[in-house]
Amino acid sequence: MALLKVKFDQKKRVKLAQGLWLMNWFSVLAGIIIFSLGLFLKIELRKRSDVMNNSESHFVPNSLIGMGVLSCVFNSLAGKICYDALDPAKYARWKPWLKPYLAICVLFNIVLFLVALCCFLLRGSLENTLGQGLKNGMKYYRDTDTPGRCFMKKTIDMLQIEFKCCGNNGFRDWFEIQWISNRYLDFSSKEVKDRIKSNVDGRYLVDGVPFSCCNPSSPRPCIQYQITNNSAHYSYDHQTEELNLWVRGCRAALLSYYSSLMNSMGVVTLLIWLFEVTITIGLRYLQTSLDCVSNPEEPESESEGWLLEKSVPETWKAFLESVKKLGKGNQVEAEGADAGQAPEAG
């Protein structure tokens, strides 16, 4: 028994074809939107590629760009099919290709749904990428004279100013690395010598942060050196007083920014996916209702359209049987080829 059977007369078929034609061109615009969202996200990720550890984070924008292009192609073709469906002579040319085309549309909708889910689920991967990338970027902050890394100081400073953040997880991350270049250290100074000797790796570590960590909204002048030394500043206690530095780490700030972007894109992609599923269902009804017209020379006759020719369990069973037959056919062909090679070898 057919699933969700609906009766159609000529008037209903014409309205269905015209409505689907219009919806498909709206879907072309939706495909352009998906493509634009993917391109925008890719550009935003490339802006901070210096503080990202790998290229896995580009999976989502690349997928959105690809699905946007495919959406434009498939829906343009579907619009042409719906336009020609009103003419029996033109529809006859499309009829043999409609079932494979609908199967491709179903596969496209499945992939589009998975891409929309990826927009929500790749937060963990992005967090690890940002964490490791920021850690490496901070390590190279002082290498202003090293080719290939001389831009890292500017990149980190602009990042901390733009996103109002400091360090990887917080401002204390700067205490654990030497972010001041040896070029600007006076090695004849006793203080510099003592600090370097006190460190196992011979690094110059200070309880200070770059200027870009300073919060300009603070009423007090920025304290960026000797942050943990209360006696170095008047009326100051670093444990109780609110510091005039950005408290949030840059990993959390960037993760929040990109997560909000991808969540918004995921919602838009899911809405477009629902629209695409509606079009695919409409195309299926149009195809079955036109194929069931008893006499093509009398287009005014009634016909029936359905979503599935059989029930869901029967359709699934038939699908599995066809897959098994296909596997057996390939096995027989392989055995025949082996048998043909045996006499030649003899």
Side-chain angles (χ1 to χ4, degrees):
M1 183 179 178
L3 181 68
L4 299 177
K5 189 185 293 184
V6 179
K7 285 189 176 182
F8 289 89
D9 54 19
Q10 186 189 21
K11 189 177 180 181
K12 286 184 177 180
R13 288 194 296 269
V14 169
K15 284 185 176 181
L16 179 60
Q18 290 175 341
L20 287 172
W21 177 84
L22 186 62
M23 290 173 70
N24 274 294
W25 288 111
F26 276 122
S27 283
V28 171
L29 296 177
I32 295 172
I33 291 173
I34 293 177
F35 177 85
S36 303
L37 291 175
L39 190 62
F40 173 74
L41 182 58
K42 192 173 184 69
I43 291 171
E44 287 297 303
L45 288 171
R46 280 196 175 277
K47 283 181 183 178
R48 285 107 197 170
S49 59
D50 298 324
V51 293
M52 292 186 177
N53 192 37
N54 53 42
S55 58
E56 290 179 8
S57 54
H58 289 269
F59 172 76
V60 170
N62 290 340
S63 301
L64 289 172
I65 289 171
M67 297 307 291
V69 172
L70 290 176
S71 177
C72 292
V73 173
F74 288 154
N75 287 295
S76 300
L77 184 59
K80 175 65 175 171
I81 292 171
C82 294
Y83 183 80
D84 290 346
L86 301 176
D87 186 345
K90 291 182 179 179
Y91 175 74
R93 293 179 299 177
W94 291 106
K95 188 175 179 179
W97 304 99
L98 276 180
K99 278 191 176 180
Y101 175 77
L102 285 170
I104 293 171
C105 286
V106 171
L107 182 62
F108 170 79
N109 287 328
I110 292 171
V111 176
L112 185 62
F113 179 73
L114 293 176
V115 171
L117 286 184
C118 286
C119 292
F120 299 105
L121 300 177
L122 286 182
R123 178 186 172 94
S125 174
L126 183 62
E127 185 175 7
N128 295 332
T129 298
L130 286 170
Q132 192 60 41
L134 283 166
K135 188 176 180 181
N136 293 335
M138 291 170 61
K139 193 186 300 181
Y140 302 139
Y141 181 87
R142 62 174 178 166
D143 296 340
T144 52
D145 299 327
T146 306
R149 298 176 186 170
C150 55
F151 60 88
M152 191 57 73
K153 178 183 181 301
K154 180 181 177 182
T155 301
I156 296 292
D157 283 334
M158 294 303 295
L159 179 70
Q160 293 188 145
I161 292 171
E162 181 181 355
F163 286 91
K164 299 179 179 179
C165 59
C166 185
N168 189 352
N169 299 309
F171 67 91
R172 291 183 180 274
D173 293 336
W174 289 107
F175 299 175
E176 301 171 4
I177 62 171
Q178 181 181 339
W179 55 272
I180 301 174
S181 174
N182 290 338
R183 181 181 178 183
Y184 305 106
L185 294 177
D186 181 10
F187 286 95
S188 63
S189 170
K190 185 178 182 300
E191 181 191 353
V192 173
K193 288 180 180 179
D194 291 342
R195 280 191 178 275
I196 292 175
K197 286 180 181 179
S198 64
N199 185 262
V200 177
D201 299 325
R203 293 179 298 169
Y204 181 75
L205 303 182
V206 293
D207 56 342
V209 296
F211 77 96
S212 53
C213 283
C214 295
N215 181 359
S217 301
S218 174
R220 181 168 188 157
C222 185
I223 298 176
Q224 64 179 111
Y225 291 106
Q226 296 184 325
I227 295 174
T228 58
N229 186 0
N230 295 334
S231 61
H233 312 283
Y234 175 73
S235 184
Y236 175 76
D237 185 353
H238 76 279
Q239 292 183 339
T240 58
E241 186 175 343
E242 183 179 352
L243 300 178
N244 51 5
L245 305 173
W246 301 120
V247 178
R248 187 166 64 160
C250 288
R251 177 168 61 171
L254 283 172
L255 186 63
S256 174
Y257 172 69
Y258 285 121
S259 295
S260 62
L261 273 183
M262 289 198 292
N263 288 343
S264 302
M265 291 177 184
V267 170
V268 173
T269 307
L270 277 178
L271 292 175
I272 293 174
W273 170 75
L274 289 172
F275 195 63
E276 293 284 355
V277 169
T278 305
I279 291 174
T280 304
I281 292 172
L283 282 172
R284 175 61 173 167
Y285 274 114
L286 181 64
Q287 179 241 336
T288 52
S289 63
L290 288 172
D291 289 350
C292 288
V293 174
S294 57
N295 186 2
E297 296 179 358
E298 295 181 5
E300 295 182 0
S301 59
E302 287 190 352
S303 63
E304 291 182 340
W306 56 79
L307 196 58
L308 293 175
E309 192 172 357
K310 301 175 182 178
S311 63
V312 175
E314 291 175 346
T315 303
W316 179 249
K317 188 177 179 181
F319 173 74
L320 292 178
E321 288 177 357
S322 63
V323 171
K324 287 179 182 178
K325 286 180 181 178
L326 185 63
K328 288 180 180 178
N330 291 335
Q331 187 177 358
V332 170
E333 287 180 5
E335 289 175 356
D338 292 341
Q341 289 176 358
E344 291 178 6

